[in-house]
Amino acid sequence: MAYLKLSNISKVYGSGKDQTLAVQDFNLDVQQGEFISFLGPSGCGKTTTLRMVGGFEIPTTGSITLDSNDITNKAPNQRNVGMVFQSYALFPNMTVAGNIGFGLQVRKEKRDAIKQRVEEMLELIQLKQYGDRYPYQLSGGQQQRVALARALAIRPQVLLLDEPLSALDAKIRVDLRQEIRRIQQRLGITTIYVTHDQEEALSISDRIVVMSHGLMEQTGTPFDIYNYPTTDFVAKFVGQINLIRIDVVDMTKGLVKVGSQTITVGDKEKQLRSMKHLAIRPEEITAGHKEGNNNLHGKVYNVNYLGAIIRLGVDVDGVRVSIDVFNQRNMKIPKEGDVFEFNFPVEACWLL
Amino acid sequence: MNLSLRLRKFPLWSSVWFVIGILYFFMPLYATLDFSLRMERDKISLKAYQVAFSDGRFLDTFLTSNILAVATIIASVILIVPTAYWIRLRVPEARRIVEFITLMPFVIPAIILVFGLIRVYSTPFKIPFTDIVFLEALTTFEIGTDVLMVAGYMVLALPYMYRSVDTGMRTVDVRTLTEAAQSLGASWVTIMWRVILPNLRSALLSGALLTFAIVVGEVVLASFLGVDAFGPYLFLLGQHRAYEPAALSFIAFLLTWGAMGIIQLVTGEQGQAAGAH
Ligand SMILES: Nc1ncnc2c1ncn2[C@@H]1O[C@H](COP(=O)(O)OP(=O)(O)OP(=O)(O)O)[C@@H](O)[C@H]1O
Ligand SMILES: [Mg+2]
């Protein structure tokens, strides 16, 4: 039995004409100690689902169980769930130590116990000297670490984070997400992390739930989500992908045409019946000709210099393909109008 | 260099308007002060202040008004804080309506309010369909009148109090703070006492100050309900005397500024915290 179980959850906001179906058919089993990310574009229902676990919204249908207890209709203060908000939400009238100790005070724990736990937490988030400061005396990243410590101090059964890093700048975002992961693994706490940043989700999760329009698109490990997307949406939303229109030449042999050039997609007869696009990650594509691979050539129409990589737009007989090339010192960077030859392995071809 | 920079930040016209503003505020004040010091012919003296203070009614009415002000502030806070809080939390769509209602005292003169109060509350309360009186008319006994006064003052102070409280709640984002506290296990009472009220301190103080200023200077309500408050006393004094009202006005002004100074001191640190947020 899963530690945290969401069964047939749906949520409808409003009533009558202006109803919003924010979440539907949501089923998820979370194991104890697992780090799950909800990933999806704005408005897809990530926050709503998270808030239902936290008790701030009541599901319209379905149930939520935590450690075999039904918590579907329990008030937020009756659940043992820690929450971290995008806006930090530290209490401005309390010091850092006061904030971290708040949940324990509410639970009427002994003074010494609280003090000890606060020390422990401050150490965990590496802000030992900051106990007496007020929130406004801290940077955004520090404030969010305190918010994390505050949520963890009460030893919650589940930790919920709603885009905790969105308000921070890029560098701190990367540092802090590793720190969150480190702390999560050290405490072994079951965690749900909401984000619309795919890199964030891919880098720290055990499993990712990709959502769109209130529906779960795919659930899986970061590796599966990236390498084996099961829906169109996931393929396009997670990572960069080229969708290339194809015309079938020979279904049984797996031969297809891109523009007027013929390539093979392998043994995919069944998929070729219904699917009309070839999907390839840009990094699967290499410049030049290679025997045994699929080879295509086209005219460069766009060169995008991104630092470590150069993203080329290539026009293959009217079909546009985007290709990432590693930026090497001795490389001759293609110019617009150049003819560019490239290849990719047969196994890298998906059909969508 | 430094000077030219500063000059650029303070362009000519801004400075001119600033000076005009200052004059506009301080000329009358200076005139009042000057006048209040000239009770004795050809001589600067504090005679007017002496005379004003030696009148027993001054202290009586001033005290009455202060008590009424404090009662009004307490009742307003009890009424407005939970209301504004609930609106922010649960019925944000009602905010416009409530804001409109709180502006009514600006549209409806106090004189209409007081006649309304008198009309409704000058008859005894009877149990419906019987002649049994369970409460005498509020206007006929002192506590009853005081209750009416406080109720009326609450209406007059509503725009100021509601606005400061609501703004205070916006600056600290009470909604998310509430959710944070709830997730940490706090009950409504705990959230109110430990999270909401402390973070509203400066908002409450400024609302309280404005309420205080209104109540202490208010004339219409007090005169028509026949309460010996400071406002009517000052008004009466103004009709019969020349120098003493000037002296008292000046004192009242100092008191107000003193109170504002105290608020600045008390809330200095807090305001900074809220500002940073
Ligand atoms: N309180 C509410 N009342 C009505 N509709 C709501 C409410 N909260 C959310 N919605 C709607 O439900 C849908 C899902 O919203 P939700 O906040 O869960 O999205 P999200 O995935 O968290 O998006 P974002 O990445 O922008 O935070 C949206 O269409 C939103 O407009
Ligand atoms: Mg959201």
Side-chain angles (χ1 to χ4, degrees), chain A residues 51 56 76-77 79 81-83 85 87 89-94 99 102-103 105-107 134 136 150-151 154, chain B residues 172-173 175-188 190 194-195 198-199 269-270 272-273 276-277:
Chain A
R51 287 171 62 82
F56 299 110
N77 58 1
R79 309 180 179 202
V81 165
M83 183 104 184
F85 300 85
S87 57
L90 294 178
F91 306 126
N93 57 316
M94 300 177 202
N99 268 281
F102 182 81
Q105 278 183 8
V106 167
R107 283 169 170 66
Y134 280 88
Y136 73 89
R150 180 179 67 177
I154 57 169
Chain B
V172 295
D173 187 7
R175 200 180 163 145
T176 318
L177 288 188
T178 302
E179 288 182 353
Q182 275 180 314
S183 74
L184 294 167
S187 64
W188 286 112
T190 310
R194 300 232 12 229
V195 178
N199 286 308
E269 196 180 326
Q270 255 256 312
Q272 218 176 340
H277 195 88

Side-chain angles (χ1 to χ4, degrees), chain B residues 260-272:
Chain B
M260 260 152 99
I262 291 169
I263 286 176
Q264 278 296 319
L265 276 183
V266 174
T267 63
E269 196 180 326
Q270 255 256 312
Q272 218 176 340

Side-chain angles (χ1 to χ4, degrees), chain B residues 112-128:
Chain B
I112 293 179
L113 174 68
V114 72
F115 275 123
L117 285 175
I118 291 172
R119 223 187 124 67
V120 174
Y121 294 104
S122 60
T123 47
F125 292 92
K126 292 176 184 166
I127 295 169

